[in-house]
Amino acid sequence: NAGVTQTPKFQVLKTGQSMTLQCAQDMNHNSMYWYRQDPGMGLRLIYYSASEGTTDKGEVPNGYNVSRLNKREFSLRLESAAPSQTSVYFCASTREWGGPTDTQYFGPGTRLTVL
Amino acid sequence: GNSVTQMEGPVTLSEEAFLTINCTYTATGYPSLFWYVQYPGEGLQLLLKATKADDKGSNKGFEATYRKETTSFHLEKGSVQVSDSAVYFCARLSYEGSYIPTFGRGTSLIVHP
């Protein structure tokens, strides 16, 4: 099992450009998440998908959109990138939604710089 | 709202020293508590967890006890190694209309030989 994979690993964009971050998991998990990690801020939830076909906003959704393409894949799109979106982005998954003890499994991250 | 507070880092120790990283959480509901570790250039991975009061989670020599009376889940290790150098995140998970995990800001640990 590869676990949670993310592409690309690194990306540099110019302000106003768009891009999609890809995430896939091969653990047959139902729930998937997108976080951003900024220095001194810890992890902040952008969007999540409790199950295939559903998505919901997290703490910092502005400037982002998501698609739960199927059970395995959950993508994050930046329509018009801004320097404030420079960050490290992590995708994660959990076995089920509503599990009080569920462990989050994280991908290796995408380091995004917006100039 | 739900929150998790960790001690600020970096924590700098010599090899074989005793480690404590403090974590406190808001007492709303009955959360499960977690410690995640992030090694340089990698994603987070679960280190240990505890799901109810007085439970002790342990893994790789690390321990943390769920203390409901002090709303704390401090991470400890008796003898750190250079390979323990990483960022440690405390997190809580409880149902408050939805199951959304809340992470602390992370504490960087640097262990010198």
Side-chain angles (χ1 to χ4, degrees), chain B residues 13-14 16-20 75-80:
Chain B
L13 296 173
S14 298
E16 298 184 2
F18 184 86
L19 168 71
T20 300
L75 182 68
E76 297 181 335
K77 186 175 185 182
S79 177
V80 294

Side-chain angles (χ1 to χ4, degrees), chain B residues 4-49:
Chain B
V4 174
T5 303
Q6 292 182 232
M7 60 188 293
E8 288 194 23
V11 174
T12 304
L13 296 173
S14 298
E15 205 165 25
E16 298 184 2
F18 184 86
L19 168 71
T20 300
I21 299 178
N22 291 337
C23 171
T24 56
Y25 63 93
T26 53
T28 305
Y30 301 93
S32 296
L33 301 172
F34 304 77
W35 277 102
Y36 286 85
V37 58
Q38 182 182 29
Y39 297 105
E42 299 182 9
L44 282 69
Q45 56 186 275
L46 179 70
L47 181 60
L48 54 84
K49 66 181 179 182

Side-chain angles (χ1 to χ4, degrees), chain A residues 35 37 40 97-98 100-101 104, chain B residues 32 36 38 49 51 99 101 105:
Chain A
Y35 295 91
Q37 183 182 32
W97 181 252
T101 63
Q104 299 239 322
Chain B
S32 296
Y36 286 85
Q38 182 182 29
K49 66 181 179 182
T51 59
Y99 275 108
R105 295 187 174 188

Side-chain angles (χ1 to χ4, degrees), chain A residues 1-6 24-28 72 93 105-108:
Chain A
N1 283 354
V4 180
T5 57
Q6 293 182 236
Q25 52 88 13
D26 63 0
M27 296 175 284
N28 201 35
R72 290 186 65 247
S93 69
Y105 292 84
F106 285 84

Side-chain angles (χ1 to χ4, degrees), chain A residues 13 21 29 32 49 52 65 74 80 86 95 100 115:
Chain A
L13 293 177
L21 282 65
H29 283 178
M32 299 184 73
S49 172
E52 186 179 354
N65 285 300
F74 188 40
S80 179
T86 294
R95 184 170 53 86
L115 303 175

